Amino acid sequence: MDYRQTPPAPRRNPFTIASMILGICSLLTICTAVLPLPLGALGILFAILSYRKGQRMDAMAVTGLATSCLGLLFSVVMYGAVFSAMPNMLRDPEYRDMLNRYSESMYGESYDDLFERVYGVDLNDLFPTE
């Protein structure tokens, strides 16, 4: 009989596993545009916390760091695209009419009136229709 035992697998740092899982989740939830921000930030934080001085960063932590950064980057790009397109959309009369009709059916008042009531600014002063 052979009584040799294999040595136990080295215990992984839980921060590396958390970093990789959060990084993958941040990539998978890009279409929500809200979840990748906190998931990516936490993934980066856990990857940094898993680093030990004098040692190389674990492959799982590097994967978590890379996927978290990508999820965070894609989310920021999506927010930038939406916020850069919003002024042009609000200047388009057809879009503004559709927005007003939708708001009237949902809330009983047009989007222009709702915006003015909430923010105290006339939407036509900010974004005059063409």
Side-chain angles (χ1 to χ4, degrees):
M1 276 203 190
D2 190 14
Y3 292 104
R4 285 183 264 157
Q5 294 180 349
T6 58
R11 184 170 163 87
R12 288 211 183 263
N13 187 343
F15 288 128
T16 62
I17 298 168
S19 172
M20 189 177 77
I21 290 172
L22 288 170
I24 292 170
C25 288
S26 74
L27 281 179
L28 292 175
T29 59
I30 286 174
C31 60
T32 63
V34 176
L35 289 176
L37 289 173
L39 293 176
L42 283 174
I44 292 170
L45 175 70
F46 286 146
I48 292 170
L49 288 175
S50 71
Y51 179 71
R52 303 269 189 242
K53 281 191 174 181
Q55 294 179 351
R56 294 183 63 190
M57 192 175 265
D58 190 10
M60 288 177 72
V62 172
T63 304
L65 184 64
T67 55
S68 296
C69 288
L70 279 175
L72 202 59
L73 177 72
F74 286 145
S75 183
V76 167
V77 167
M78 279 180 41
Y79 275 116
V82 167
F83 286 124
S84 68
M86 188 65 71
N88 290 333
M89 290 169 44
L90 288 175
R91 285 186 184 101
D92 182 20
E94 292 176 18
Y95 179 77
R96 183 79 80 74
D97 289 340
M98 182 197 65
L99 191 61
N100 283 330
R101 283 193 311 262
Y102 182 73
S103 179
E104 284 174 2
S105 69
M106 291 285 291
Y107 306 113
E109 65 180 313
S110 70
Y111 184 76
D112 293 341
D113 296 338
L114 185 66
F115 191 89
E116 186 173 357
R117 186 170 53 85
V118 171
Y119 296 110
V121 177
D122 188 13
L123 195 59
N124 288 322
D125 292 341
L126 289 176
F127 305 106
T129 55
E130 297 171 346

